[in-house]
Amino acid sequence: AGIGIDLGLKDFAIVSNGKTYKNINKSARLKKLEKQLIREQRCLSRKYENLKKGESTQKANIRKQKLKVQKLHQRLENIRTDYINKTISEIVKTKPSHITVEDLNVSGMMKNRHLSKAVASQKFYEFRTKLKTKCEEFGIELRIVSRWYPSSKTCHCCGHIKKDLKLSDRIYRCACGYIEDRDLNAALNLRDAETYEVA
C-alpha cells in the first residue's frame, strides 16, 4: 500500500497512516534558541552601531559576537535538518509502494511576509529533495500531485468537493456523514490521487 503526506505549518507532516510529525519549530527547545539568536543578533547590531559612532569597540569583540551568532544559526540548522532526516527515514522504513506529496509552491509562500519565516524554518524544499533520494534508494515511487489538486477540500469518502472550506476548519465534515481531521483527510486524498507525476 502507498501513503500520502500532507505537509503543513501547524504540524510538519501528517501521514495517511495516521502518524503526525509535529512542527519542531514550535518546540520549547527551538523557541528558546530562536530567542537567544535574536538577543545575540541585537547585541551584534549594537556593537556595529557603536563602531560607526566612533566608539572604539574593539573589532575583536565584533568578531567574537559574529561567531556566537553563526554558531547559534548552525545549531538551529542542524536540529531542523536532523529532524527532517529522522522523519524521512521513519516514513521510508514502513516500505510503502508509493509516497504521494503535493507540489508545494514554496517560492510563492516565501513571498508572503506573514508566512515566509515559518515556511523557511520548515525546510519543505529540503524535505522533498531528501525524500526523493531516499525513495530512489529504497525503490519507492514518489508521486507529485499538482498544487491545484483540492486535497483538503475533497471528501475522502464520497469525493464531494467542499469549495467553502476555510483554513480555520480543522475538522472536515461532509454531508455524507464522513468526519475526519482536515489534514488527515488531505493525506488520504493524496495517497489515492489518480493524477500525478512521478518524481
Side-chain angles (χ1 to χ4, degrees):
I3 58 171
I5 305 172
D6 183 56
L7 296 172
L9 295 177
K10 184 179 160 276
D11 290 309
F12 174 60
I14 291 84
V15 187
S16 58
N17 61 15
K19 193 145 176 39
T20 297
Y21 293 91
K22 297 270 170 253
N23 177 351
I24 191 178
N25 297 298
K26 290 182 178 176
S27 67
R29 181 187 179 199
L30 256 78
K31 279 184 169 170
K32 195 176 159 189
L33 281 172
E34 281 275 7
K35 269 189 185 147
Q36 211 178 326
L37 178 63
I38 290 168
R39 264 203 311 274
E40 299 299 0
Q41 278 171 330
R42 277 192 195 133
C43 181
L44 181 62
S45 299
R46 270 200 305 275
K47 284 187 173 12
Y48 272 120
E49 283 305 310
N50 291 340
L51 195 65
K52 271 192 224 146
K53 286 180 202 154
E55 289 178 28
S56 63
T57 312
Q58 283 82 11
K59 294 235 163 79
N61 277 353
I62 287 186
R63 245 201 325 274
K64 250 190 259 170
Q65 190 58 29
K66 234 182 182 168
L67 203 63
K68 234 185 201 176
V69 169
Q70 278 166 352
K71 274 187 177 157
L72 271 170
H73 260 300
Q74 200 50 55
R75 217 170 132 204
L76 279 160
E77 211 46 17
N78 292 349
I79 293 170
R80 288 181 183 131
T81 298
D82 189 48
Y83 185 63
I84 283 178
N85 293 344
K86 280 186 180 145
T87 302
I88 290 174
S89 66
E90 222 178 89
I91 290 171
V92 169
K93 268 186 195 137
T94 62
K95 297 204 170 81
S97 55
H98 71 262
I99 294 177
T100 312
V101 291
E102 214 168 353
D103 178 19
L104 288 175
N105 177 13
V106 175
S107 55
M109 288 171 166
M110 291 300 284
K111 283 180 192 142
N112 178 333
R113 63 191 180 86
H114 300 295
L115 285 180
S116 59
K117 187 175 181 296
V119 171
S121 62
Q122 288 286 58
K123 292 176 163 288
F124 291 136
Y125 189 73
E126 188 179 330
F127 176 81
R128 167 128 159 232
T129 314
K130 287 185 167 167
L131 182 62
K132 186 174 189 285
T133 309
K134 268 281 187 240
C135 282
E136 281 167 5
E137 213 177 288
F138 283 79
I140 298 165
E141 183 176 85
L142 179 60
R143 299 174 177 180
I144 311 292
V145 165
S146 154
R147 66 179 72 138
W148 308 117
Y149 172 64
S151 58
S152 295
K153 294 183 176 181
T154 306
C155 171
H156 180 251
C157 187
C158 74
H160 171 74
I161 294 176
K162 203 171 183 177
K163 289 198 170 78
D164 58 351
L165 187 77
K166 296 193 288 287
L167 259 174
S168 56
D169 298 334
R170 301 313 308 169
I171 301 288
Y172 189 96
R173 297 171 196 276
C174 184
C176 77
Y178 173 79
I179 297 173
E180 189 50 273
D181 173 83
R182 172 213 180 93
D183 299 329
L184 183 55
N185 177 57
L188 289 163
N189 284 327
L190 287 169
R191 179 192 72 188
D192 300 338
E194 302 277 331
T195 317
Y196 54 83
E197 277 180 30
V198 176

